[in-house]
Structures are given as structure tokens and as C-alpha cells.
Amino acid sequence: MLAKRQKDSNLTNKISLAASLFFLAAAIPAAADFPIESEEERGHLEMEIRNFLLEHPEVLIEAMQVWEQRQRLAQAQAQALAIDHFSNEIFFDEDSWVGGALDGFPTIVEFVDYNCGFCRRAFDDVQNLLAEDGNVRFVVKEFPILGSDSEMASRFAIAVHRLYGDEDYKSVHDAMITSDGPVDIPAIEALIAERGFDIDRLENEMLGERVSGIIATNRELAQILGISGTPGFIIGNSVFQGLQSYEAMVDAIELARALDNS
């Protein structure tokens, strides 16, 4: 009797484990991973697993939820390690524009595309947060992902920064990110004319290797950090993808400060 109970217990454990792995394996033959002495036992186990899942389909949902939680945790840990490893490139590179409180903490880094509607929606919240907090540093990473117009807009912004400095960069950045229409070649040409920039110098800089290298570096960083869209934010040692609420950014700032003081 004890032997039979032990056998039944072992079978139950096998069923539970197989059920947890079932949605990953995508097939009942995952049972082949368990030590099975005969084809008859295999068939019996497969039938038991099938019946168990039919009677308790919620197990699959629970298992998937646990798996997703573990995936998110693993991704967050990997991103935190990447942020620590590439902190100089992310927070202190000489090519990115820096605003807000220059000695503030923490730093918000935003990966931005000027033709991204969500980036435009995020603009006011970010500006309000910088003004209201007063102790947040802000870094912009040019990250054009929405086609050739976005690429030229980022090249234009970087070239302005390199040739004319922080103030003019901020001016064209704000103009493009708050544009009601697409930021394309005519829109860029209009900004050049309005501000009296030297178009020949700008064109040479925009198409130069240095600007290309800055954009390539930002794309590499985004890939390392798991940022695939815009806006993408780094606050403290965390990555936030997509449009974030004002409250979520405030919470992330408070958490970064709490962790820094712990």
C-alpha cells in the first residue's frame, strides 16, 4: 500500500510539473523528459496530464503568469546591470544634450524620435517635472526609428548642437518635438531659415561621420538596454518603455533617490 501511495505521489508530482511546463513545450510529449520505464507508462502519464489540464485549465494561466513575472524580473535585472556597466555612455557622454538641474539627481535619459506621437505627448510632462522638482538632470538621446525623415531630424538636431551649442539645440529640439505636423525636410529647412543657420555648414555636419557615429552609438545602447521604441526612458537603474504618466515618473525618481540613500 505504501509503495502504491509513493507511486501515486510520484505520478502526481510529475503531472504538476508537466502541467507547469506544458504551455512552454507546446505539446504533451514534454513528458518524455521524465524517467519512464515503458511505453505503457508513458501513455498513462500523458493521459493523466491531459485529464489534469482539462479539469484544471487555470494551472496553465497560473504557470504563464509566473513565467512572465520571472521574465520581467530577469529583464529588469539585466537592464540594471547594463545601465551600471554603460553608465558613462548613458549618462555622461559628451555628445548628448543635458538639461534640467545639471548637478541634479537622478538623471532622466530619454530616447526620442521627433516624429513619434508619444514623444510629443511626453514632452510637457517631462518639462513640468523638471521645473517642479528642480533637482532632476535630463539627457536626450537622439534615437530615430520612424524612417528617413526622423533620421534627418536627428542629424539636424545633433549638427546644431555641435555647431551652435546647447541653447540653439534646445530651441530646435523643442520646435520639432512640439510640431503639429511631420518633421521632414521642408520643416527642417524652415527651421534653418528662421534661425539664420549656415545651411552649408549644417549639411556637411549632418552628413558627416561624427553625427552618424552618435546615432549608431545611441542605437547600440538602446539595443543593449532592450529599448525598442520611443519614448524610452532611463530613470535611476530602471528602463521604462513607452509613454509614462507624470505620476509614474515621479515614483521612479523617488525610488531612485531612496535606493541611492539606502
mmCIF file of all heavy atoms in Angstrom, residues 79 83 90-91 107-114 116-120 122-123 126 138-145 173 177 218 221-223 225-236 238-244 249:
data_model
loop_
_atom_site.group_PDB
_atom_site.id
_atom_site.type_symbol
_atom_site.label_atom_id
_atom_site.label_comp_id
_atom_site.label_asym_id
_atom_site.label_seq_id
_atom_site.Cartn_x
_atom_site.Cartn_y
_atom_site.Cartn_z
ATOM 1 N N GLN A 79 18.819 44.749 -17.351
ATOM 2 C CA GLN A 79 18.877 46.169 -17.695
ATOM 3 C C GLN A 79 19.635 46.962 -16.641
ATOM 4 O O GLN A 79 20.427 47.850 -16.977
ATOM 5 C CB GLN A 79 17.458 46.718 -17.862
ATOM 6 C CG GLN A 79 16.770 46.224 -19.132
ATOM 7 C CD GLN A 79 15.302 46.574 -19.175
ATOM 8 O OE1 GLN A 79 14.647 46.708 -18.128
ATOM 9 N NE2 GLN A 79 14.755 46.721 -20.364
ATOM 10 N N ILE A 83 22.881 49.186 -17.360
ATOM 11 C CA ILE A 83 22.955 50.607 -17.001
ATOM 12 C C ILE A 83 24.208 50.880 -16.180
ATOM 13 O O ILE A 83 24.912 51.872 -16.398
ATOM 14 C CB ILE A 83 21.694 51.030 -16.232
ATOM 15 C CG1 ILE A 83 20.483 51.024 -17.172
ATOM 16 C CG2 ILE A 83 21.872 52.422 -15.619
ATOM 17 C CD1 ILE A 83 19.163 51.186 -16.461
ATOM 18 N N ILE A 90 25.735 56.272 -21.109
ATOM 19 C CA ILE A 90 24.314 56.595 -20.981
ATOM 20 C C ILE A 90 24.112 57.985 -20.386
ATOM 21 O O ILE A 90 23.323 58.792 -20.905
ATOM 22 C CB ILE A 90 23.605 55.550 -20.103
ATOM 23 C CG1 ILE A 90 23.593 54.190 -20.802
ATOM 24 C CG2 ILE A 90 22.168 55.989 -19.790
ATOM 25 C CD1 ILE A 90 23.174 53.043 -19.905
ATOM 26 N N PHE A 91 24.811 58.284 -19.303
ATOM 27 C CA PHE A 91 24.529 59.491 -18.531
ATOM 28 C C PHE A 91 25.493 60.651 -18.798
ATOM 29 O O PHE A 91 25.125 61.809 -18.603
ATOM 30 C CB PHE A 91 24.566 59.176 -17.032
ATOM 31 C CG PHE A 91 23.541 58.173 -16.592
ATOM 32 C CD1 PHE A 91 23.928 56.917 -16.137
ATOM 33 C CD2 PHE A 91 22.196 58.469 -16.628
ATOM 34 C CE1 PHE A 91 22.988 55.986 -15.722
ATOM 35 C CE2 PHE A 91 21.249 57.551 -16.224
ATOM 36 C CZ PHE A 91 21.637 56.302 -15.768
ATOM 37 N N THR A 107 19.168 61.255 -12.881
ATOM 38 C CA THR A 107 19.120 61.679 -14.269
ATOM 39 C C THR A 107 18.008 60.924 -14.990
ATOM 40 O O THR A 107 17.896 59.707 -14.846
ATOM 41 C CB THR A 107 20.456 61.408 -14.979
ATOM 42 O OG1 THR A 107 21.487 62.178 -14.353
ATOM 43 C CG2 THR A 107 20.386 61.766 -16.449
ATOM 44 N N ILE A 108 17.210 61.660 -15.744
ATOM 45 C CA ILE A 108 16.275 61.034 -16.678
ATOM 46 C C ILE A 108 16.919 61.073 -18.055
ATOM 47 O O ILE A 108 17.322 62.139 -18.532
ATOM 48 C CB ILE A 108 14.932 61.780 -16.724
ATOM 49 C CG1 ILE A 108 14.218 61.722 -15.376
ATOM 50 C CG2 ILE A 108 14.037 61.198 -17.821
ATOM 51 C CD1 ILE A 108 12.911 62.494 -15.353
ATOM 52 N N VAL A 109 17.029 59.934 -18.673
ATOM 53 C CA VAL A 109 17.516 59.849 -20.045
ATOM 54 C C VAL A 109 16.331 59.481 -20.921
ATOM 55 O O VAL A 109 15.613 58.516 -20.630
ATOM 56 C CB VAL A 109 18.632 58.798 -20.190
ATOM 57 C CG1 VAL A 109 19.102 58.711 -21.636
ATOM 58 C CG2 VAL A 109 19.800 59.124 -19.272
ATOM 59 N N GLU A 110 16.125 60.247 -22.006
ATOM 60 C CA GLU A 110 15.030 59.932 -22.916
ATOM 61 C C GLU A 110 15.567 59.655 -24.309
ATOM 62 O O GLU A 110 16.280 60.471 -24.890
ATOM 63 C CB GLU A 110 14.014 61.075 -22.983
ATOM 64 C CG GLU A 110 12.844 60.753 -23.922
ATOM 65 C CD GLU A 110 11.807 61.850 -24.007
ATOM 66 O OE1 GLU A 110 12.017 62.928 -23.408
ATOM 67 O OE2 GLU A 110 10.784 61.648 -24.680
ATOM 68 N N PHE A 111 15.201 58.501 -24.849
ATOM 69 C CA PHE A 111 15.474 58.161 -26.238
ATOM 70 C C PHE A 111 14.274 58.654 -27.051
ATOM 71 O O PHE A 111 13.138 58.220 -26.820
ATOM 72 C CB PHE A 111 15.655 56.650 -26.402
ATOM 73 C CG PHE A 111 16.955 56.133 -25.862
ATOM 74 C CD1 PHE A 111 17.166 56.011 -24.492
ATOM 75 C CD2 PHE A 111 17.991 55.765 -26.726
ATOM 76 C CE1 PHE A 111 18.368 55.534 -23.992
ATOM 77 C CE2 PHE A 111 19.199 55.284 -26.234
ATOM 78 C CZ PHE A 111 19.385 55.162 -24.858
ATOM 79 N N VAL A 112 14.535 59.535 -28.008
ATOM 80 C CA VAL A 112 13.444 60.266 -28.639
ATOM 81 C C VAL A 112 13.515 60.219 -30.163
ATOM 82 O O VAL A 112 14.604 60.198 -30.750
ATOM 83 C CB VAL A 112 13.441 61.737 -28.151
ATOM 84 C CG1 VAL A 112 14.699 62.462 -28.598
ATOM 85 C CG2 VAL A 112 12.210 62.471 -28.610
ATOM 86 N N ASP A 113 12.343 60.199 -30.783
ATOM 87 C CA ASP A 113 12.184 60.340 -32.239
ATOM 88 C C ASP A 113 11.222 61.504 -32.448
ATOM 89 O O ASP A 113 10.121 61.517 -31.885
ATOM 90 C CB ASP A 113 11.624 59.051 -32.844
ATOM 91 C CG ASP A 113 11.493 59.103 -34.354
ATOM 92 O OD1 ASP A 113 10.826 60.032 -34.876
ATOM 93 O OD2 ASP A 113 12.025 58.210 -35.036
ATOM 94 N N TYR A 114 11.602 62.479 -33.270
ATOM 95 C CA TYR A 114 10.802 63.698 -33.404
ATOM 96 C C TYR A 114 9.460 63.484 -34.089
ATOM 97 O O TYR A 114 8.568 64.336 -33.959
ATOM 98 C CB TYR A 114 11.610 64.776 -34.139
ATOM 99 C CG TYR A 114 12.778 65.257 -33.327
ATOM 100 C CD1 TYR A 114 14.087 64.905 -33.657
ATOM 101 C CD2 TYR A 114 12.576 66.031 -32.198
ATOM 102 C CE1 TYR A 114 15.156 65.334 -32.899
ATOM 103 C CE2 TYR A 114 13.641 66.460 -31.415
ATOM 104 C CZ TYR A 114 14.934 66.104 -31.775
ATOM 105 O OH TYR A 114 15.992 66.518 -31.001
ATOM 106 N N CYS A 116 7.595 60.837 -33.404
ATOM 107 C CA CYS A 116 6.868 59.925 -32.519
ATOM 108 C C CYS A 116 5.794 60.701 -31.770
ATOM 109 O O CYS A 116 6.097 61.619 -31.006
ATOM 110 C CB CYS A 116 7.841 59.264 -31.549
ATOM 111 S SG CYS A 116 7.053 58.432 -30.156
ATOM 112 N N GLY A 117 4.541 60.315 -31.984
ATOM 113 C CA GLY A 117 3.442 60.986 -31.306
ATOM 114 C C GLY A 117 3.503 60.867 -29.803
ATOM 115 O O GLY A 117 3.145 61.804 -29.073
ATOM 116 N N PHE A 118 3.965 59.728 -29.302
ATOM 117 C CA PHE A 118 4.062 59.536 -27.857
ATOM 118 C C PHE A 118 5.180 60.397 -27.255
ATOM 119 O O PHE A 118 5.066 60.863 -26.112
ATOM 120 C CB PHE A 118 4.277 58.064 -27.524
ATOM 121 C CG PHE A 118 3.089 57.201 -27.843
ATOM 122 C CD1 PHE A 118 3.143 56.266 -28.851
ATOM 123 C CD2 PHE A 118 1.900 57.352 -27.143
ATOM 124 C CE1 PHE A 118 2.045 55.479 -29.154
ATOM 125 C CE2 PHE A 118 0.793 56.565 -27.431
ATOM 126 C CZ PHE A 118 0.868 55.632 -28.442
ATOM 127 N N CYS A 119 6.260 60.609 -28.023
ATOM 128 C CA CYS A 119 7.316 61.512 -27.557
ATOM 129 C C CYS A 119 6.767 62.928 -27.419
ATOM 130 O O CYS A 119 7.097 63.651 -26.463
ATOM 131 C CB CYS A 119 8.490 61.506 -28.525
ATOM 132 S SG CYS A 119 9.366 59.929 -28.653
ATOM 133 N N ARG A 120 5.943 63.322 -28.349
ATOM 134 C CA ARG A 120 5.351 64.660 -28.292
ATOM 135 C C ARG A 120 4.418 64.788 -27.094
ATOM 136 O O ARG A 120 4.384 65.837 -26.434
ATOM 137 C CB ARG A 120 4.604 64.945 -29.599
ATOM 138 C CG ARG A 120 5.536 65.016 -30.812
ATOM 139 C CD ARG A 120 4.784 65.259 -32.099
ATOM 140 N NE ARG A 120 5.704 65.319 -33.241
ATOM 141 C CZ ARG A 120 5.341 65.607 -34.490
ATOM 142 N NH1 ARG A 120 4.063 65.874 -34.755
ATOM 143 N NH2 ARG A 120 6.228 65.633 -35.453
ATOM 144 N N ALA A 122 4.724 63.151 -24.337
ATOM 145 C CA ALA A 122 5.530 63.096 -23.111
ATOM 146 C C ALA A 122 6.224 64.421 -22.815
ATOM 147 O O ALA A 122 6.619 64.670 -21.666
ATOM 148 C CB ALA A 122 6.578 61.991 -23.229
ATOM 149 N N PHE A 123 6.373 65.266 -23.828
ATOM 150 C CA PHE A 123 7.201 66.469 -23.696
ATOM 151 C C PHE A 123 6.753 67.364 -22.546
ATOM 152 O O PHE A 123 7.571 67.765 -21.701
ATOM 153 C CB PHE A 123 7.194 67.247 -25.012
ATOM 154 C CG PHE A 123 7.967 68.532 -24.958
ATOM 155 C CD1 PHE A 123 9.352 68.531 -25.003
ATOM 156 C CD2 PHE A 123 7.313 69.757 -24.848
ATOM 157 C CE1 PHE A 123 10.076 69.718 -24.946
ATOM 158 C CE2 PHE A 123 8.028 70.935 -24.791
ATOM 159 C CZ PHE A 123 9.404 70.922 -24.843
ATOM 160 N N VAL A 126 7.466 65.888 -19.048
ATOM 161 C CA VAL A 126 8.893 65.918 -18.698
ATOM 162 C C VAL A 126 9.314 67.336 -18.317
ATOM 163 O O VAL A 126 10.001 67.546 -17.308
ATOM 164 C CB VAL A 126 9.747 65.386 -19.862
ATOM 165 C CG1 VAL A 126 11.234 65.631 -19.583
ATOM 166 C CG2 VAL A 126 9.494 63.901 -20.086
ATOM 167 N N PHE A 138 18.541 65.945 -16.918
ATOM 168 C CA PHE A 138 17.829 65.398 -18.080
ATOM 169 C C PHE A 138 18.769 65.290 -19.270
ATOM 170 O O PHE A 138 19.463 66.252 -19.614
ATOM 171 C CB PHE A 138 16.647 66.305 -18.428
ATOM 172 C CG PHE A 138 15.817 65.834 -19.602
ATOM 173 C CD1 PHE A 138 15.329 64.542 -19.655
ATOM 174 C CD2 PHE A 138 15.515 66.710 -20.635
ATOM 175 C CE1 PHE A 138 14.555 64.111 -20.727
ATOM 176 C CE2 PHE A 138 14.740 66.292 -21.709
ATOM 177 C CZ PHE A 138 14.259 64.991 -21.755
ATOM 178 N N VAL A 139 18.804 64.108 -19.879
ATOM 179 C CA VAL A 139 19.657 63.844 -21.037
ATOM 180 C C VAL A 139 18.798 63.352 -22.188
ATOM 181 O O VAL A 139 17.936 62.485 -22.002
ATOM 182 C CB VAL A 139 20.736 62.784 -20.710
ATOM 183 C CG1 VAL A 139 21.532 62.418 -21.956
ATOM 184 C CG2 VAL A 139 21.659 63.287 -19.611
ATOM 185 N N VAL A 140 19.040 63.901 -23.378
ATOM 186 C CA VAL A 140 18.312 63.486 -24.576
ATOM 187 C C VAL A 140 19.220 62.628 -25.448
ATOM 188 O O VAL A 140 20.347 63.022 -25.765
ATOM 189 C CB VAL A 140 17.816 64.703 -25.385
ATOM 190 C CG1 VAL A 140 17.143 64.241 -26.681
ATOM 191 C CG2 VAL A 140 16.845 65.539 -24.561
ATOM 192 N N LYS A 141 18.704 61.464 -25.830
ATOM 193 C CA LYS A 141 19.394 60.589 -26.777
ATOM 194 C C LYS A 141 18.610 60.587 -28.085
ATOM 195 O O LYS A 141 17.439 60.189 -28.121
ATOM 196 C CB LYS A 141 19.472 59.153 -26.237
ATOM 197 C CG LYS A 141 20.277 58.985 -24.967
ATOM 198 C CD LYS A 141 21.762 59.107 -25.211
ATOM 199 C CE LYS A 141 22.542 58.740 -23.960
ATOM 200 N NZ LYS A 141 23.992 58.952 -24.133
ATOM 201 N N GLU A 142 19.243 61.047 -29.140
ATOM 202 C CA GLU A 142 18.604 61.027 -30.455
ATOM 203 C C GLU A 142 18.494 59.577 -30.930
ATOM 204 O O GLU A 142 19.496 58.879 -31.070
ATOM 205 C CB GLU A 142 19.422 61.843 -31.451
ATOM 206 C CG GLU A 142 19.628 63.302 -31.063
ATOM 207 C CD GLU A 142 18.362 64.127 -31.227
ATOM 208 O OE1 GLU A 142 17.462 63.691 -31.968
ATOM 209 O OE2 GLU A 142 18.292 65.211 -30.609
ATOM 210 N N PHE A 143 17.261 59.147 -31.172
ATOM 211 C CA PHE A 143 17.015 57.740 -31.493
ATOM 212 C C PHE A 143 15.965 57.632 -32.610
ATOM 213 O O PHE A 143 14.821 57.251 -32.386
ATOM 214 C CB PHE A 143 16.537 57.015 -30.230
ATOM 215 C CG PHE A 143 16.353 55.528 -30.372
ATOM 216 C CD1 PHE A 143 17.304 54.734 -30.994
ATOM 217 C CD2 PHE A 143 15.220 54.918 -29.850
ATOM 218 C CE1 PHE A 143 17.122 53.362 -31.113
ATOM 219 C CE2 PHE A 143 15.030 53.554 -29.960
ATOM 220 C CZ PHE A 143 15.980 52.774 -30.589
ATOM 221 N N PRO A 144 16.358 57.999 -33.833
ATOM 222 C CA PRO A 144 15.396 57.987 -34.941
ATOM 223 C C PRO A 144 15.080 56.557 -35.400
ATOM 224 O O PRO A 144 15.960 55.820 -35.838
ATOM 225 C CB PRO A 144 16.121 58.758 -36.039
ATOM 226 C CG PRO A 144 17.583 58.530 -35.765
ATOM 227 C CD PRO A 144 17.695 58.454 -34.264
ATOM 228 N N ILE A 145 13.810 56.188 -35.309
ATOM 229 C CA ILE A 145 13.406 54.826 -35.682
ATOM 230 C C ILE A 145 12.229 54.816 -36.649
ATOM 231 O O ILE A 145 11.807 53.741 -37.088
ATOM 232 C CB ILE A 145 13.036 53.992 -34.435
ATOM 233 C CG1 ILE A 145 11.877 54.639 -33.683
ATOM 234 C CG2 ILE A 145 14.242 53.798 -33.537
ATOM 235 C CD1 ILE A 145 11.353 53.779 -32.548
ATOM 236 N N HIS A 173 15.144 71.468 -30.880
ATOM 237 C CA HIS A 173 14.563 70.265 -30.292
ATOM 238 C C HIS A 173 13.117 70.520 -29.888
ATOM 239 O O HIS A 173 12.217 69.749 -30.231
ATOM 240 C CB HIS A 173 15.377 69.833 -29.074
ATOM 241 C CG HIS A 173 14.729 68.758 -28.252
ATOM 242 N ND1 HIS A 173 14.892 67.410 -28.522
ATOM 243 C CD2 HIS A 173 13.900 68.829 -27.175
ATOM 244 C CE1 HIS A 173 14.202 66.705 -27.654
ATOM 245 N NE2 HIS A 173 13.589 67.546 -26.817
ATOM 246 N N ILE A 177 9.810 68.715 -31.521
ATOM 247 C CA ILE A 177 9.047 67.775 -30.706
ATOM 248 C C ILE A 177 7.643 68.298 -30.434
ATOM 249 O O ILE A 177 6.740 67.516 -30.070
ATOM 250 C CB ILE A 177 9.787 67.476 -29.383
ATOM 251 C CG1 ILE A 177 9.369 66.121 -28.818
ATOM 252 C CG2 ILE A 177 9.561 68.564 -28.366
ATOM 253 C CD1 ILE A 177 9.763 64.941 -29.645
ATOM 254 N N ASN A 218 23.845 55.503 -30.094
ATOM 255 C CA ASN A 218 22.561 55.520 -29.391
ATOM 256 C C ASN A 218 21.728 54.289 -29.723
ATOM 257 O O ASN A 218 21.048 53.736 -28.852
ATOM 258 C CB ASN A 218 21.783 56.791 -29.748
ATOM 259 C CG ASN A 218 22.405 58.032 -29.148
ATOM 260 O OD1 ASN A 218 23.273 57.950 -28.270
ATOM 261 N ND2 ASN A 218 21.979 59.194 -29.607
ATOM 262 N N LEU A 221 23.187 51.364 -27.778
ATOM 263 C CA LEU A 221 22.805 51.444 -26.370
ATOM 264 C C LEU A 221 21.349 51.008 -26.185
ATOM 265 O O LEU A 221 21.029 50.279 -25.242
ATOM 266 C CB LEU A 221 22.981 52.869 -25.849
ATOM 267 C CG LEU A 221 24.394 53.315 -25.506
ATOM 268 C CD1 LEU A 221 24.410 54.796 -25.156
ATOM 269 C CD2 LEU A 221 24.971 52.493 -24.356
ATOM 270 N N ALA A 222 20.483 51.472 -27.074
ATOM 271 C CA ALA A 222 19.074 51.096 -26.978
ATOM 272 C C ALA A 222 18.909 49.588 -27.086
ATOM 273 O O ALA A 222 18.137 48.977 -26.335
ATOM 274 C CB ALA A 222 18.270 51.800 -28.068
ATOM 275 N N GLN A 223 19.638 48.984 -27.990
ATOM 276 C CA GLN A 223 19.551 47.530 -28.151
ATOM 277 C C GLN A 223 20.043 46.814 -26.897
ATOM 278 O O GLN A 223 19.414 45.861 -26.418
ATOM 279 C CB GLN A 223 20.361 47.090 -29.363
ATOM 280 C CG GLN A 223 20.247 45.595 -29.654
ATOM 281 C CD GLN A 223 20.970 45.200 -30.930
ATOM 282 O OE1 GLN A 223 21.784 45.935 -31.448
ATOM 283 N NE2 GLN A 223 20.671 44.013 -31.433
ATOM 284 N N LEU A 225 20.023 47.920 -23.902
ATOM 285 C CA LEU A 225 19.090 48.189 -22.803
ATOM 286 C C LEU A 225 17.704 47.614 -23.039
ATOM 287 O O LEU A 225 16.850 47.687 -22.147
ATOM 288 C CB LEU A 225 18.991 49.698 -22.580
ATOM 289 C CG LEU A 225 20.270 50.382 -22.112
ATOM 290 C CD1 LEU A 225 20.154 51.889 -22.262
ATOM 291 C CD2 LEU A 225 20.576 50.007 -20.667
ATOM 292 N N GLY A 226 17.476 47.052 -24.212
ATOM 293 C CA GLY A 226 16.163 46.494 -24.503
ATOM 294 C C GLY A 226 15.127 47.538 -24.852
ATOM 295 O O GLY A 226 13.922 47.293 -24.713
ATOM 296 N N ILE A 227 15.571 48.700 -25.325
ATOM 297 C CA ILE A 227 14.647 49.760 -25.740
ATOM 298 C C ILE A 227 14.404 49.611 -27.237
ATOM 299 O O ILE A 227 15.314 49.786 -28.043
ATOM 300 C CB ILE A 227 15.222 51.151 -25.423
ATOM 301 C CG1 ILE A 227 15.364 51.324 -23.912
ATOM 302 C CG2 ILE A 227 14.338 52.249 -26.010
ATOM 303 C CD1 ILE A 227 16.071 52.612 -23.504
ATOM 304 N N SER A 228 13.171 49.304 -27.597
ATOM 305 C CA SER A 228 12.855 49.047 -28.999
ATOM 306 C C SER A 228 11.949 50.098 -29.612
ATOM 307 O O SER A 228 11.704 50.081 -30.823
ATOM 308 C CB SER A 228 12.191 47.671 -29.142
ATOM 309 O OG SER A 228 11.031 47.595 -28.336
ATOM 310 N N GLY A 229 11.417 51.005 -28.794
ATOM 311 C CA GLY A 229 10.520 52.034 -29.298
ATOM 312 C C GLY A 229 10.771 53.352 -28.608
ATOM 313 O O GLY A 229 11.665 53.481 -27.767
ATOM 314 N N THR A 230 9.981 54.340 -28.977
ATOM 315 C CA THR A 230 10.107 55.664 -28.377
ATOM 316 C C THR A 230 8.763 56.108 -27.822
ATOM 317 O O THR A 230 7.720 55.720 -28.349
ATOM 318 C CB THR A 230 10.592 56.691 -29.421
ATOM 319 O OG1 THR A 230 9.756 56.636 -30.575
ATOM 320 C CG2 THR A 230 12.030 56.418 -29.825
ATOM 321 N N PRO A 231 8.772 56.917 -26.752
ATOM 322 C CA PRO A 231 9.976 57.266 -25.997
ATOM 323 C C PRO A 231 10.451 56.101 -25.143
ATOM 324 O O PRO A 231 9.652 55.261 -24.735
ATOM 325 C CB PRO A 231 9.505 58.423 -25.108
ATOM 326 C CG PRO A 231 8.052 58.132 -24.884
ATOM 327 C CD PRO A 231 7.566 57.529 -26.165
ATOM 328 N N GLY A 232 11.743 56.058 -24.901
ATOM 329 C CA GLY A 232 12.305 55.117 -23.940
ATOM 330 C C GLY A 232 13.016 55.925 -22.866
ATOM 331 O O GLY A 232 13.775 56.845 -23.177
ATOM 332 N N PHE A 233 12.750 55.592 -21.620
ATOM 333 C CA PHE A 233 13.309 56.361 -20.506
ATOM 334 C C PHE A 233 14.209 55.481 -19.645
ATOM 335 O O PHE A 233 13.931 54.303 -19.439
ATOM 336 C CB PHE A 233 12.201 56.923 -19.607
ATOM 337 C CG PHE A 233 11.317 57.942 -20.266
ATOM 338 C CD1 PHE A 233 10.103 57.579 -20.827
ATOM 339 C CD2 PHE A 233 11.694 59.276 -20.317
ATOM 340 C CE1 PHE A 233 9.278 58.515 -21.433
ATOM 341 C CE2 PHE A 233 10.877 60.225 -20.918
ATOM 342 C CZ PHE A 233 9.672 59.847 -21.476
ATOM 343 N N ILE A 234 15.250 56.092 -19.127
ATOM 344 C CA ILE A 234 16.052 55.502 -18.050
ATOM 345 C C ILE A 234 15.950 56.459 -16.866
ATOM 346 O O ILE A 234 16.233 57.653 -16.990
ATOM 347 C CB ILE A 234 17.516 55.321 -18.448
ATOM 348 C CG1 ILE A 234 17.635 54.406 -19.667
ATOM 349 C CG2 ILE A 234 18.320 54.748 -17.286
ATOM 350 C CD1 ILE A 234 19.028 54.346 -20.235
ATOM 351 N N ILE A 235 15.516 55.923 -15.739
ATOM 352 C CA ILE A 235 15.460 56.693 -14.501
ATOM 353 C C ILE A 235 16.099 55.840 -13.417
ATOM 354 O O ILE A 235 15.613 54.746 -13.126
ATOM 355 C CB ILE A 235 14.018 57.062 -14.116
ATOM 356 C CG1 ILE A 235 13.323 57.831 -15.255
ATOM 357 C CG2 ILE A 235 14.010 57.900 -12.838
ATOM 358 C CD1 ILE A 235 11.867 58.140 -14.992
ATOM 359 N N GLY A 236 17.187 56.327 -12.869
ATOM 360 C CA GLY A 236 17.927 55.512 -11.906
ATOM 361 C C GLY A 236 18.526 54.311 -12.608
ATOM 362 O O GLY A 236 19.221 54.437 -13.617
ATOM 363 N N SER A 238 16.583 51.833 -13.819
ATOM 364 C CA SER A 238 15.436 51.168 -14.439
ATOM 365 C C SER A 238 15.159 51.735 -15.820
ATOM 366 O O SER A 238 15.373 52.925 -16.081
ATOM 367 C CB SER A 238 14.178 51.330 -13.569
ATOM 368 O OG SER A 238 14.359 50.725 -12.303
ATOM 369 N N VAL A 239 14.662 50.864 -16.692
ATOM 370 C CA VAL A 239 14.266 51.238 -18.042
ATOM 371 C C VAL A 239 12.741 51.241 -18.123
ATOM 372 O O VAL A 239 12.086 50.320 -17.630
ATOM 373 C CB VAL A 239 14.834 50.249 -19.084
ATOM 374 C CG1 VAL A 239 14.298 50.559 -20.483
ATOM 375 C CG2 VAL A 239 16.363 50.297 -19.080
ATOM 376 N N PHE A 240 12.198 52.281 -18.751
ATOM 377 C CA PHE A 240 10.754 52.394 -18.932
ATOM 378 C C PHE A 240 10.484 52.591 -20.419
ATOM 379 O O PHE A 240 10.958 53.562 -21.008
ATOM 380 C CB PHE A 240 10.194 53.574 -18.135
ATOM 381 C CG PHE A 240 10.440 53.470 -16.651
ATOM 382 C CD1 PHE A 240 11.631 53.946 -16.101
ATOM 383 C CD2 PHE A 240 9.515 52.882 -15.812
ATOM 384 C CE1 PHE A 240 11.869 53.856 -14.737
ATOM 385 C CE2 PHE A 240 9.754 52.780 -14.448
ATOM 386 C CZ PHE A 240 10.931 53.262 -13.918
ATOM 387 N N GLN A 241 9.727 51.687 -20.997
ATOM 388 C CA GLN A 241 9.429 51.768 -22.419
ATOM 389 C C GLN A 241 8.062 52.382 -22.646
ATOM 390 O O GLN A 241 7.095 52.036 -21.993
ATOM 391 C CB GLN A 241 9.474 50.368 -23.049
ATOM 392 C CG GLN A 241 10.845 49.731 -23.035
ATOM 393 C CD GLN A 241 11.130 48.976 -24.309
ATOM 394 O OE1 GLN A 241 11.170 49.539 -25.396
ATOM 395 N NE2 GLN A 241 11.307 47.684 -24.184
ATOM 396 N N GLY A 242 7.992 53.304 -23.586
ATOM 397 C CA GLY A 242 6.726 53.897 -23.952
ATOM 398 C C GLY A 242 6.367 55.101 -23.104
ATOM 399 O O GLY A 242 7.084 55.491 -22.175
ATOM 400 N N LEU A 243 5.237 55.700 -23.436
ATOM 401 C CA LEU A 243 4.747 56.877 -22.725
ATOM 402 C C LEU A 243 4.489 56.544 -21.266
ATOM 403 O O LEU A 243 3.814 55.569 -20.946
ATOM 404 C CB LEU A 243 3.462 57.363 -23.393
ATOM 405 C CG LEU A 243 2.812 58.616 -22.822
ATOM 406 C CD1 LEU A 243 3.707 59.828 -23.042
ATOM 407 C CD2 LEU A 243 1.445 58.830 -23.458
ATOM 408 N N GLN A 244 5.030 57.375 -20.369
ATOM 409 C CA GLN A 244 4.847 57.180 -18.936
ATOM 410 C C GLN A 244 4.005 58.317 -18.363
ATOM 411 O O GLN A 244 4.124 59.461 -18.800
ATOM 412 C CB GLN A 244 6.212 57.150 -18.225
ATOM 413 C CG GLN A 244 7.174 56.113 -18.751
ATOM 414 C CD GLN A 244 6.670 54.700 -18.541
ATOM 415 O OE1 GLN A 244 6.269 54.327 -17.435
ATOM 416 N NE2 GLN A 244 6.701 53.900 -19.590
ATOM 417 N N MET A 249 6.623 58.682 -13.410
ATOM 418 C CA MET A 249 7.970 59.243 -13.428
ATOM 419 C C MET A 249 8.355 59.786 -12.054
ATOM 420 O O MET A 249 9.503 59.624 -11.614
ATOM 421 C CB MET A 249 8.070 60.332 -14.497
ATOM 422 C CG MET A 249 8.062 59.783 -15.916
ATOM 423 S SD MET A 249 8.463 61.021 -17.185
ATOM 424 C CE MET A 249 6.951 61.994 -17.164
#
